[in-house]
């Protein structure tokens, strides 16, 4: 189901995926979902980005591969003119995202049905 969505989003240009390979195998990656948000007084660009699907195969974690993928996603977002990016994180990954310029944002709320 999610894989089908990603394929459609890639075809629509609403998702960018970055893969890191070693020895011909994918070992890490990150994605950028483009959200049609509309301009705001703090950000005139109509799109926002959400970083998703950051992953490194377990036996290669701690080597900077996820950081490499996220840095590439950040460059792509910059080249697209995106000024506002968000993401969800784990406690283990939080220091990496802070070092890349992200800050905790406590004002978000969610409703699910």
């Amino acid at each position: 189901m999610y894989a089908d969505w990603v394929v459609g989003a890639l075809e629509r240009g609403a998702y960018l995926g970055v893969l890191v390979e070693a020895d011909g195998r994918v070992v890490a990656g990150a994605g950028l979902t483009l959200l049609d948000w509309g301009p705001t007084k703090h950000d005139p660009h109509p799109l926002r980005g959400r970083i998703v699907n950051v992953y490194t195969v377990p036996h290669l974690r701690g080597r900077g591969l996820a950081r490499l993928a996220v840095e590439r996603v950040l460059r792509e977002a910059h080249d697209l003119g995106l000024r506002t990016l968000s993401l969800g994180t784990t406690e283990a990954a939080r220091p990496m995202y802070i070092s890349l310029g992200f800050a905790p944002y406590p004002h978000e709320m969610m409703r699910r049905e």
Side-chain angles (χ1 to χ4, degrees):
M1 186 160 128
Y2 187 78
D4 293 335
W5 175 86
V6 170
V7 169
L10 283 165
E11 290 171 352
R12 292 188 312 276
Y15 183 90
L16 173 106
V18 173
L19 301 175
V20 178
E21 292 185 22
D23 299 323
R25 301 178 84 169
V26 174
V27 295
L32 175 67
T33 300
L34 302 177
L35 306 170
D36 190 1
W37 201 265
T40 68
K41 68 179 180 176
H42 299 292
D43 186 351
H45 198 290
L47 298 178
R48 287 191 180 187
R50 182 147 180 97
I51 295 175
V52 296
N53 302 331
V54 179
Y55 180 77
T56 302
V57 294
H59 71 279
L60 294 177
R61 290 183 180 162
R63 299 183 186 193
L65 298 174
R67 181 183 194 89
L68 182 68
V70 172
E71 286 173 340
R72 174 63 189 269
V73 165
L74 293 176
R75 285 193 304 275
E76 295 291 334
H78 175 80
D79 290 349
L80 290 170
L82 300 181
R83 294 178 47 188
T84 304
L85 301 172
S86 64
L87 55 82
T89 187
T90 63
E91 286 300 317
R94 187 177 302 272
M96 176 186 73
Y97 293 120
I98 289 172
S99 75
L100 291 170
F102 287 87
Y105 187 71
H107 304 294
E108 192 168 295
M109 297 177 72
M110 181 182 299
R111 179 176 184 251
R112 291 188 176 166
E113 288 191 23

